[in-house]
Amino acid sequence: MESEDSVKHQLEELQKHLGKKQKFEEAVSSLKSLLQQKYQLASPSLRKTFYTAICRVATVLKTRYTAPGFWNAGLGLFEQAELLVSDPYEKEHLKGCVSQAREELHLEDNPTQVSQPAQNSANGGYLFEGRLTVDPEPPQPQWLVQSNLLTTAATLFAAESSQGLAADDTSRENAANMLQDLLNRLEDAVPLMLSDGPVPHKVPPASKEVVAKLPVIALTEEILTKLGKDAECSICKENLALNDEMQELPCRHTFHPPCLKPWLDEHNSCPICRYELQTDDHVYESWKEREKEAEEERKGAENAIRGGEYMYV
């Protein structure tokens, strides 16, 4: 029989995978499977580990992966967990997770929409966890589109390499054409991959707490000498003088405190290098995190495709 330590280790590994967009849905599916197999006979300690992992899924869905496909995966897990847990607090929390997932998927007015199989596929339903849904299948997440493109390219490379020198000009030309087509499709997909949600129209103001903690220094002769005789506050454009109080951003640029606060409220970026401070807007901060991840994925995908393209030049 599999030990509880082994199950705990699996749960810890799955929680790590939740932080990677390409592995999220697979990790949620594995977590649900473990829940069904191990939870009822688990010790209180192991049950708590299960609950912690499920809460992590809820947190990631709320803050990072907000596309319908991810919420669909989370809904199945939350519903399964709500049926199994006995702790009143945990059950109530999971009920809230189910409710929020249904709301995100616009199922709040029709609770049976996902769980009730359709009679036939003529209505455009799709298979989800072995059942035919009522609604049409949601569009694939863009990371999956990207993954499929890369898989196709990798298969093409392997097939072409196996032919070696025996490959004729026609097969090489076909391969090059397919690679170019893949590259074109990837370039079409990249702008969509950069955002899983609405793009904020304006940067929110800097967090008041963060601004309040910015250090304030008084200008000394030594500092003024380093800055130069024409040094000025980049916001008000007034020349700096001895004993002027200056507030320092994390990027090390300094400004008059009365100038900096309204500037950060309006622009939330350093006037010199455009460094952004943290905001109190959780939606915006989540969007920035997704943008950062998408940019890394985009660079990796383009490098992989273009690297393969060079093989045929």
PDB file of all heavy atoms in Angstrom, residues 220-233:
ATOM      1  N   THR A 220      23.393  66.649   0.702  1.00  0.00           N
ATOM      2  CA  THR A 220      24.622  67.182   1.310  1.00  0.00           C
ATOM      3  C   THR A 220      25.514  67.737   0.199  1.00  0.00           C
ATOM      4  O   THR A 220      25.244  67.565  -0.991  1.00  0.00           O
ATOM      5  CB  THR A 220      25.371  66.068   2.057  1.00  0.00           C
ATOM      6  OG1 THR A 220      25.766  65.057   1.105  1.00  0.00           O
ATOM      7  CG2 THR A 220      24.481  65.421   3.121  1.00  0.00           C
ATOM      8  N   GLU A 221      26.567  68.409   0.622  1.00  0.00           N
ATOM      9  CA  GLU A 221      27.526  68.936  -0.359  1.00  0.00           C
ATOM     10  C   GLU A 221      28.093  67.807  -1.213  1.00  0.00           C
ATOM     11  O   GLU A 221      28.257  67.950  -2.429  1.00  0.00           O
ATOM     12  CB  GLU A 221      28.676  69.660   0.383  1.00  0.00           C
ATOM     13  CG  GLU A 221      28.286  70.958   1.048  1.00  0.00           C
ATOM     14  CD  GLU A 221      28.174  72.106   0.039  1.00  0.00           C
ATOM     15  OE1 GLU A 221      28.309  71.853  -1.170  1.00  0.00           O
ATOM     16  OE2 GLU A 221      27.923  73.240   0.467  1.00  0.00           O
ATOM     17  N   GLU A 222      28.375  66.673  -0.585  1.00  0.00           N
ATOM     18  CA  GLU A 222      28.958  65.539  -1.298  1.00  0.00           C
ATOM     19  C   GLU A 222      28.000  65.009  -2.377  1.00  0.00           C
ATOM     20  O   GLU A 222      28.407  64.750  -3.519  1.00  0.00           O
ATOM     21  CB  GLU A 222      29.305  64.422  -0.313  1.00  0.00           C
ATOM     22  CG  GLU A 222      29.938  63.204  -0.969  1.00  0.00           C
ATOM     23  CD  GLU A 222      30.244  62.109   0.039  1.00  0.00           C
ATOM     24  OE1 GLU A 222      29.964  62.319   1.233  1.00  0.00           O
ATOM     25  OE2 GLU A 222      30.757  61.056  -0.382  1.00  0.00           O
ATOM     26  N   ILE A 223      26.721  64.882  -1.991  1.00  0.00           N
ATOM     27  CA  ILE A 223      25.727  64.380  -2.952  1.00  0.00           C
ATOM     28  C   ILE A 223      25.555  65.362  -4.100  1.00  0.00           C
ATOM     29  O   ILE A 223      25.495  64.968  -5.272  1.00  0.00           O
ATOM     30  CB  ILE A 223      24.382  64.128  -2.251  1.00  0.00           C
ATOM     31  CG1 ILE A 223      24.521  63.001  -1.224  1.00  0.00           C
ATOM     32  CG2 ILE A 223      23.298  63.775  -3.276  1.00  0.00           C
ATOM     33  CD1 ILE A 223      23.262  62.754  -0.413  1.00  0.00           C
ATOM     34  N   LEU A 224      25.482  66.657  -3.787  1.00  0.00           N
ATOM     35  CA  LEU A 224      25.303  67.674  -4.827  1.00  0.00           C
ATOM     36  C   LEU A 224      26.476  67.688  -5.803  1.00  0.00           C
ATOM     37  O   LEU A 224      26.298  67.889  -7.008  1.00  0.00           O
ATOM     38  CB  LEU A 224      25.129  69.060  -4.195  1.00  0.00           C
ATOM     39  CG  LEU A 224      23.748  69.356  -3.603  1.00  0.00           C
ATOM     40  CD1 LEU A 224      23.766  70.680  -2.859  1.00  0.00           C
ATOM     41  CD2 LEU A 224      22.692  69.381  -4.717  1.00  0.00           C
ATOM     42  N   THR A 225      27.675  67.474  -5.265  1.00  0.00           N
ATOM     43  CA  THR A 225      28.857  67.437  -6.129  1.00  0.00           C
ATOM     44  C   THR A 225      28.770  66.281  -7.113  1.00  0.00           C
ATOM     45  O   THR A 225      29.096  66.422  -8.295  1.00  0.00           O
ATOM     46  CB  THR A 225      30.130  67.297  -5.273  1.00  0.00           C
ATOM     47  OG1 THR A 225      30.218  68.413  -4.373  1.00  0.00           O
ATOM     48  CG2 THR A 225      31.364  67.263  -6.159  1.00  0.00           C
ATOM     49  N   LYS A 226      28.306  65.126  -6.625  1.00  0.00           N
ATOM     50  CA  LYS A 226      28.166  63.961  -7.495  1.00  0.00           C
ATOM     51  C   LYS A 226      27.095  64.184  -8.555  1.00  0.00           C
ATOM     52  O   LYS A 226      27.234  63.742  -9.699  1.00  0.00           O
ATOM     53  CB  LYS A 226      27.808  62.729  -6.663  1.00  0.00           C
ATOM     54  CG  LYS A 226      28.951  62.202  -5.806  1.00  0.00           C
ATOM     55  CD  LYS A 226      28.516  60.956  -5.040  1.00  0.00           C
ATOM     56  CE  LYS A 226      29.668  60.408  -4.199  1.00  0.00           C
ATOM     57  NZ  LYS A 226      29.257  59.201  -3.427  1.00  0.00           N
ATOM     58  N   LEU A 227      26.024  64.874  -8.180  1.00  0.00           N
ATOM     59  CA  LEU A 227      24.928  65.101  -9.116  1.00  0.00           C
ATOM     60  C   LEU A 227      25.275  66.147 -10.167  1.00  0.00           C
ATOM     61  O   LEU A 227      24.723  66.135 -11.262  1.00  0.00           O
ATOM     62  CB  LEU A 227      23.669  65.548  -8.349  1.00  0.00           C
ATOM     63  CG  LEU A 227      23.042  64.494  -7.435  1.00  0.00           C
ATOM     64  CD1 LEU A 227      21.882  65.110  -6.648  1.00  0.00           C
ATOM     65  CD2 LEU A 227      22.531  63.303  -8.252  1.00  0.00           C
ATOM     66  N   GLY A 228      26.176  67.060  -9.829  1.00  0.00           N
ATOM     67  CA  GLY A 228      26.560  68.117 -10.769  1.00  0.00           C
ATOM     68  C   GLY A 228      25.857  69.422 -10.481  1.00  0.00           C
ATOM     69  O   GLY A 228      24.777  69.447  -9.862  1.00  0.00           O
ATOM     70  N   LYS A 229      26.418  70.510 -10.947  1.00  0.00           N
ATOM     71  CA  LYS A 229      25.895  71.830 -10.599  1.00  0.00           C
ATOM     72  C   LYS A 229      24.532  72.131 -11.217  1.00  0.00           C
ATOM     73  O   LYS A 229      23.796  72.984 -10.715  1.00  0.00           O
ATOM     74  CB  LYS A 229      26.896  72.909 -11.025  1.00  0.00           C
ATOM     75  CG  LYS A 229      27.128  72.965 -12.532  1.00  0.00           C
ATOM     76  CD  LYS A 229      28.085  74.103 -12.888  1.00  0.00           C
ATOM     77  CE  LYS A 229      28.286  74.195 -14.398  1.00  0.00           C
ATOM     78  NZ  LYS A 229      29.181  75.328 -14.758  1.00  0.00           N
ATOM     79  N   ASP A 230      24.183  71.463 -12.293  1.00  0.00           N
ATOM     80  CA  ASP A 230      22.890  71.717 -12.954  1.00  0.00           C
ATOM     81  C   ASP A 230      21.837  70.679 -12.576  1.00  0.00           C
ATOM     82  O   ASP A 230      20.795  70.573 -13.251  1.00  0.00           O
ATOM     83  CB  ASP A 230      23.069  71.719 -14.473  1.00  0.00           C
ATOM     84  CG  ASP A 230      23.948  72.874 -14.943  1.00  0.00           C
ATOM     85  OD1 ASP A 230      23.856  73.960 -14.328  1.00  0.00           O
ATOM     86  OD2 ASP A 230      24.706  72.680 -15.908  1.00  0.00           O
ATOM     87  N   ALA A 231      22.085  69.922 -11.505  1.00  0.00           N
ATOM     88  CA  ALA A 231      21.128  68.886 -11.102  1.00  0.00           C
ATOM     89  C   ALA A 231      19.785  69.511 -10.758  1.00  0.00           C
ATOM     90  O   ALA A 231      19.711  70.591 -10.156  1.00  0.00           O
ATOM     91  CB  ALA A 231      21.673  68.113  -9.903  1.00  0.00           C
ATOM     92  N   GLU A 232      18.712  68.831 -11.152  1.00  0.00           N
ATOM     93  CA  GLU A 232      17.373  69.356 -10.912  1.00  0.00           C
ATOM     94  C   GLU A 232      16.414  68.213 -10.610  1.00  0.00           C
ATOM     95  O   GLU A 232      16.695  67.039 -10.871  1.00  0.00           O
ATOM     96  CB  GLU A 232      16.864  70.122 -12.139  1.00  0.00           C
ATOM     97  CG  GLU A 232      16.747  69.248 -13.381  1.00  0.00           C
ATOM     98  CD  GLU A 232      16.263  69.999 -14.599  1.00  0.00           C
ATOM     99  OE1 GLU A 232      16.310  71.231 -14.614  1.00  0.00           O
ATOM    100  OE2 GLU A 232      15.831  69.323 -15.560  1.00  0.00           O
ATOM    101  N   CYS A 233      15.272  68.548 -10.013  1.00  0.00           N
ATOM    102  CA  CYS A 233      14.193  67.575  -9.827  1.00  0.00           C
ATOM    103  C   CYS A 233      13.542  67.388 -11.194  1.00  0.00           C
ATOM    104  O   CYS A 233      13.103  68.358 -11.819  1.00  0.00           O
ATOM    105  CB  CYS A 233      13.178  68.099  -8.817  1.00  0.00           C
ATOM    106  SG  CYS A 233      11.679  67.077  -8.695  1.00  0.00           S
TER     107      CYS A 233
END
